[in-house]
């Protein structure tokens, strides 16, 4: 295991690929592993350090691969193990590390373990791998009042072999995603074997899906549905952020540390998807003997308002420093509305999460959203710590907000009866070439989700080498971030600026950089005697920093 100065993950920029939507090699309209391999030079040119792949495992695809039927194989939709090995080899050859998803909270209902559970009687060892319970009121009602994250009850009743109604099983997500019972040692051993399988194939780490959900409160008590997920401590809900998760991750940390190669910068990392509040609770996941990183969703949900931004950034850095961990920043991913769209709406104080946008919903100001997204990215990439970039955000892609109902595939849409349009809008395949069928996503004429017409002008080939383009901005910011070592720096807030301006300095190995972000209505005079290193604006800022622009200045 390497020391802090050599730990690559402390300031890494990691790029998320959603496999079905990045590049299609075989023309079936769905992205695949060979398509990813062919397009990896784009990421080397972009300047990121690693790639994170959303699930590609064998799956019935009821939840786009987050319902895993075989954790040790590739779904034929995406390729095979040889294709995965080729991808890893190519990525490593380009200097990119490879992180894969692990889905430990639940499996697919088609997993051999769950099939065996349904085929055996209540109380069997097979059922003990999952959360099966008798119902209330003589079995007619679910064991408690928990609801699924995808809508509806979190329990489904089984039918026994003789046709009579049986026990209920827990699924915090879709009915096809039964929750494991992590009090069972067989579950713990089985998932650690999965980690070893992929570590032995050369992966550099894991992103842990629903990392805060593995352990449930003893006795599975009813939950208070009046809890506000954007304000209340997550652990108040009996299915989230329970103390027992930390023992699991200490074991996983010991396992991944055993794969590190002394003196070769080969730490294997663990990153939690943990929607946890407050920041102090999230920091527990990245204590020295637990996970390396945890997504900072409080930052993602913070509005583009100066006071809110300062408060979240300060709290996030303080809490991470308290446990000796780097902070991890993120603005978009496959579960949230893209920030180029999210920031196109009026901003209000307090944490905000938009569940999805449909054609009948109020539409954002696209130009405003992109301008703010560029400015927010310039802030994020200057902050000390690590950062994650979601595929296509380097192109300024907006959310696809006009998808017709008949093409939607997110189970959230079906389970809520259309009340939530779901997450398909951020998962639309990205454009590589303007003016060609499927915008170069694949050799076929269509992609699995229809691409908005505006994606054509945002394609990679339309932005590559173009001064002022969002792609060029990302390349410049990532290059400067690496050259200056900003991720290894220390942040100091500057007080002598208007309240609606984010003003701070980062003292880094490559020097001191001043960052100014104007979130106010009036232009801000730039200080004299400083060199503009980068600007989020489409043009050089001149003597003033305009509204919703960020600059990096060399002192």
């Amino acid at each position: 295991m390497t020391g802090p100065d050599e730990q690559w993950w402390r300031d890494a920029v990691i790029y998320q690929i959603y496999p079905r939507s990045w590049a299609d090699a075989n023309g079936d309209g769905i992205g695949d592993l060979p398509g990813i391999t062919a397009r990896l030079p784009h990421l080397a040119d972009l300047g990121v350090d690693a790639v994170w792949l959303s699930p590609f495992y064998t799956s019935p695809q009821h939840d786009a691969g987050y319902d895993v039927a075989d954790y040790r194989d590739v779904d034929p939709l995406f390729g095979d193990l040889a294709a995965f090995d080729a991808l890893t080899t190519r990525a490593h050859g380009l200097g990119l590390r490879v992180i894969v998803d692990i889905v430990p909270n639940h499996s697919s209902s088609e997993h051999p373990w769950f099939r065996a559970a349904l085929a055996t009687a209540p109380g069997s060892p097979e059922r003990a791998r999952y959360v099966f319970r008798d119902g209330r009121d003589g079995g007619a009602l679910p064991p408690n009042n928990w609801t699924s994250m995808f809508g509806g009850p979190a329990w489904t009743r089984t039918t026994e072999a003789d046709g009579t109604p049986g026990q209920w099983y827990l699924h915090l997500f879709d009915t096809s995603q039964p929750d494991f019972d992590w009090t069972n040692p067989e579950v713990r051993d089985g998932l650690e074997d999965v980690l070893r399988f992929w570590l032995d194939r050369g992966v550099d780490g894991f992103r842990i899906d629903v990392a805060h959900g593995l352990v449930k409160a003893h006795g599975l008590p009813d939950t208070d549905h009046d809890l506000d997920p954007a304000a209340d401590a997550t652990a108040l809900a009996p299915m989230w952020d329970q103390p027992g998760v930390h023992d699991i991750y200490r074991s996983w940390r010991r396992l991944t540390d055993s794969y590190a190669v002394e003196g070769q910068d080969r730490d294997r990392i663990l990153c939690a998807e943990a929607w946890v509040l407050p920041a102090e609770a999230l920091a527990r996941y990245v204590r020295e003997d637990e996970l390396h990183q945890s997504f900072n969703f409080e930052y993602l949900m913070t509005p583009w308002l100066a006071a809110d931004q300062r408060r979240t950034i300060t709290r996030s850095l303080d809490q991470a420093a308290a446990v000796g961990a780097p902070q991890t920043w993120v603005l978009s991913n496959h579960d949230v509305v893209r920030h180029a769209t999210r920031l196109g709406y009026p901003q209000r104080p307090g944490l905000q999460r938009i569940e999805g946008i449909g054609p009948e919903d109020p539409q954002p100001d696209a130009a405003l959203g992109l301008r703010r997204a560029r400015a927010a990215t310039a802030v994020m990439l200057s902050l000390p710590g690590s950062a994650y970039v979601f595929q296509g955000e380097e192109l300024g892609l907006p959310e696809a907000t006009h998808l017709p109902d008949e093409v939607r595939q997110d189970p959230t849409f079906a389970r809520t009866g259309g009340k939530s349009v779901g997450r398909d809008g951020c998962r639309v395949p990205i454009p590589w070439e303007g003016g060609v069928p499927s915008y170069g996503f694949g050799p076929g004429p269509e992609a699995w989700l229809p691409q908005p017409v505006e994606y054509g002008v945002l394609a990679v080939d339309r932005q590559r080498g173009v001064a002022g383009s969002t792609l060029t901005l990302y390349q410049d910011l990532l290059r400067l971030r690496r050259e200056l070592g900003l991720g290894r720096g220390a942040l100091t807030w500057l007080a002598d600026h208007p309240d609606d301006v984010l003003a701070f300095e980062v003292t880094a190995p490559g020097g001191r950089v001043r960052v100014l972000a104007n979130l106010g209505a009036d232009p801000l005079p730039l200080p004299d005697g400083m060199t503009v290193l980068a600007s989020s604006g489409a043009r050089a800022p001149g003597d003033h920093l305009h509204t919703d622009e960020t600059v990096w200045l060399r002192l």
Side-chain angles (χ1 to χ4, degrees):
M1 186 170 57
T2 54
D5 291 341
E6 294 80 35
Q7 291 168 334
W8 64 270
W9 45 272
R10 285 186 167 269
D11 62 344
V13 177
I14 300 171
Y15 186 100
Q16 180 189 0
I17 287 180
Y18 194 66
R20 63 175 53 227
S21 295
W22 208 56
D24 168 24
N26 63 10
D28 65 358
I30 299 175
D32 46 44
L33 299 186
I36 294 171
T37 302
R39 295 287 191 179
L40 285 175
H42 171 73
L43 298 185
D45 292 340
L46 185 61
V48 300
D49 301 291
V51 55
W52 152 35
L53 303 175
S54 292
F56 50 82
Y57 311 113
T58 304
S59 165
Q61 303 295 324
H62 293 307
D63 185 24
Y66 283 93
D67 48 325
V68 181
D70 186 346
Y71 287 85
R72 294 177 177 83
D73 205 355
V74 175
D75 194 289
L77 189 68
F78 303 119
D80 53 25
L81 284 171
F84 177 82
D85 292 340
L87 186 160
T88 303
T89 298
R90 178 65 169 144
H92 287 164
L94 291 168
L96 300 168
R97 291 176 169 84
V98 177
I99 296 169
V100 300
D101 246 302
I102 184 71
V103 187
N105 179 70
H106 50 262
S107 74
S108 165
S109 57
E110 296 188 16
H111 191 285
W113 277 6
F114 193 71
R115 288 182 170 179
L118 293 180
T120 56
S124 68
E126 289 81 6
R127 289 204 174 187
R129 298 165 177 152
Y130 294 90
V131 184
F132 280 87
R133 294 291 187 274
D134 295 329
R136 295 191 284 195
D137 288 358
L141 296 178
N144 63 29
N145 70 344
W146 296 3
T147 55
S148 163
M149 294 296 292
F150 290 168
W155 296 90
T156 291
R157 196 171 191 184
T158 63
T159 300
E160 302 300 340
D162 62 1
T164 60
Q167 287 187 305
W168 298 73
Y169 69 87
L170 176 68
H171 52 87
L172 292 180
F173 295 87
D174 191 59
T175 56
S176 65
Q177 295 168 296
D179 280 46
F180 287 121
D181 186 342
W182 273 86
T183 65
N184 187 333
E186 190 174 359
V187 172
R188 294 187 62 152
D189 293 344
L191 269 294
E192 287 194 6
D193 284 345
V194 170
L195 298 181
R196 290 188 185 92
F197 177 86
W198 293 104
L199 288 166
D200 290 341
R201 297 195 89 88
V203 305
D204 300 285
F206 301 90
R207 175 264 191 188
I208 307 166
D209 186 61
V210 196
H212 59 310
L214 277 57
V215 175
K216 282 70 175 176
H218 180 70
L220 307 182
D222 282 350
T223 188
D224 179 357
H225 289 304
D226 291 331
L227 289 173
D228 181 356
D232 292 315
T234 316
L236 294 175
M239 70 290 290
W240 306 127
D241 192 29
Q242 300 301 306
V245 299
H246 298 288
D247 181 57
I248 295 169
Y249 297 136
R250 291 186 187 98
S251 178
W252 284 22
R253 179 62 179 263
R254 290 191 294 270
L255 173 59
T256 53
D257 280 353
S258 73
Y259 278 81
V261 180
E262 188 69 33
Q264 294 187 23
D265 194 19
R266 286 289 289 158
D267 282 359
R268 315 296 179 90
I269 74 165
L270 298 163
C271 179
E273 182 213 27
W275 289 87
V276 170
L277 292 174
E280 295 88 339
L282 183 63
R284 298 186 192 114
Y285 287 77
V286 290
R287 289 176 289 195
E288 185 177 5
D289 60 344
E290 294 192 41
L291 308 179
H292 303 76
Q293 299 178 335
S294 186
F295 291 133
N296 186 346
F297 291 120
E298 183 177 359
Y299 179 69
L300 182 151
M301 294 187 292
T302 298
W304 186 240
L305 298 171
D308 293 69
Q309 289 282 322
R310 270 192 295 270
R311 184 164 50 248
T312 294
I313 292 170
T314 299
R315 183 165 54 226
S316 299
L317 289 171
D318 288 348
Q319 294 305 323
V323 294
Q327 189 50 263
T328 303
W329 312 96
V330 61
L331 287 168
S332 285
N333 65 31
H334 67 289
D335 283 332
V336 301
V337 172
R338 288 181 175 274
H339 66 286
T341 293
R342 196 171 68 241
L343 297 179
Y345 289 99
Q347 302 293 287
R348 63 182 188 276
L351 301 182
Q352 301 172 22
R353 183 178 181 185
I354 303 174
E355 297 298 329
I357 304 170
E360 304 303 319
D361 294 320
Q363 298 297 302
D365 182 329
L368 175 64
L370 179 57
R371 187 164 66 249
R372 286 175 171 172
R374 289 165 58 106
T377 297
V379 171
M380 181 184 78
L381 292 178
S382 73
L383 297 174
S386 178
Y388 279 72
V389 172
F390 180 47
Q391 64 175 38
E393 71 172 77
E394 78 277 18
L395 306 176
L397 294 189
E399 188 88 353
T401 61
H402 288 87
L403 293 174
D405 290 352
E406 59 268 22
V407 306
R408 295 190 181 278
Q409 300 191 33
D410 186 350
T412 302
F413 177 74
R415 286 185 59 84
T416 62
K419 292 180 181 179
S420 173
V421 298
R423 301 160 292 176
D424 292 315
C426 65
R427 300 175 176 185
V428 171
I430 67 173
W432 294 94
E433 303 170 44
V436 300
S438 75
Y439 300 126
F441 170 65
E446 296 179 349
W448 70 281
L449 284 173
Q451 298 155 297
V453 65
E454 58 265 31
Y455 275 28
V457 297
L458 297 174
V460 173
D461 72 331
R462 300 296 175 92
Q463 298 196 48
R464 186 184 294 118
V466 177
S469 73
T470 303
L471 176 58
T472 300
L473 172 65
Y474 269 71
Q475 290 173 318
D476 290 345
L477 293 175
L478 289 168
R479 174 182 53 80
L480 287 166
R481 173 189 167 87
R482 178 176 290 180
E483 290 176 356
L484 297 167
L486 294 180
R488 302 275 178 156
L491 182 147
T492 303
W493 292 105
L494 304 177
D496 55 343
H497 287 79
D499 290 342
D500 52 10
V501 173
L502 290 180
F504 57 90
E505 290 180 358
V506 178
T507 303
R512 199 151 48 103
V513 175
R514 179 170 296 184
V515 178
L516 301 176
N518 186 1
L519 283 69
D522 299 321
L524 175 73
L526 290 177
D528 295 329
M530 295 188 182
T531 302
V532 176
L533 296 174
S535 168
S536 72
R539 298 177 180 84
D543 295 331
H544 286 77
L545 183 64
H546 299 288
T547 300
D548 296 320
E549 289 186 359
T550 300
V551 291
W552 294 3
L553 304 170
R554 185 187 292 277
L555 278 71

